[in-house]
Amino acid sequence: MKTFDLIIIILTFLFLLSLLFYLIYGKITERKFDVIAKKFAKQFGYMPFSMAVGKSGGFFFWGYKESYLICALFFTKFPATKKSLTPQEINFFKNLNRAEISWFYIKYIAIVIGLLSFIGLLVMFKLQAA
C-alpha cells in the first residue's frame, strides 16, 4: 500500500467518524440546547427565530438552531452578528457556565475536524489527478 493510499484512508476515516460523532452526539445533547433556549426565552421574553425554527424544524434545520450560539461565541465582531444580536444577548451566551455550553464546543470541534479532513481529501484527489 502506498503512502498516498494510506493518507486517503485515514482522511476518509476521520471525515466519516467525525460526521457520525456530530450526528449522534448532537442528537444526545439536544436537550441541553433546549435548556439554554428556555433560559434565553425566560430572560429576554422571546425565542429567536433560528432557535424556534431549529427546535421544531426537524432534521433539515437541525444545525440552524445553534446559529445564535455560533455567532455569539465565535463571531461577535462580524457586522451580521452585530445586526442580529444585541450586546445583552451576546453577553448572555458568553456568560453561560462551562458545563452548560461544553457540549457545543465538543460538537463543533468534531465538525471542524471533519471539514478539515474533507478538504484534505479534496486536495489529495486533486494532487492525484495532476
Side-chain angles (χ1 to χ4, degrees), residues 43-119:
Q43 182 169 339
F44 293 102
Y46 70 96
M47 177 83 62
F49 178 74
S50 65
M51 287 180 161
V53 167
K55 191 173 179 182
S56 60
F59 185 75
F60 185 72
F61 291 108
W62 191 42
Y64 183 61
K65 68 182 178 184
E66 295 165 357
S67 63
Y68 253 54
L69 284 169
I70 293 169
C71 290
L73 296 175
F74 299 128
F75 304 113
T76 54
K77 304 293 183 201
F78 280 41
T81 302
K82 291 179 181 179
K83 288 181 181 178
S84 61
L85 289 167
T86 66
Q88 295 82 11
E89 292 170 341
I90 292 172
N91 286 334
F92 168 81
F93 290 116
K94 287 196 176 266
N95 291 331
L96 291 170
N97 294 335
R98 180 70 79 187
E100 288 178 304
I101 203 75
S102 63
W103 63 271
F104 175 76
Y105 289 116
I106 293 168
K107 184 176 167 184
Y108 280 91
I109 286 171
I111 202 66
V112 166
I113 290 170
L115 181 63
L116 292 175
S117 300
F118 183 72
I119 291 169

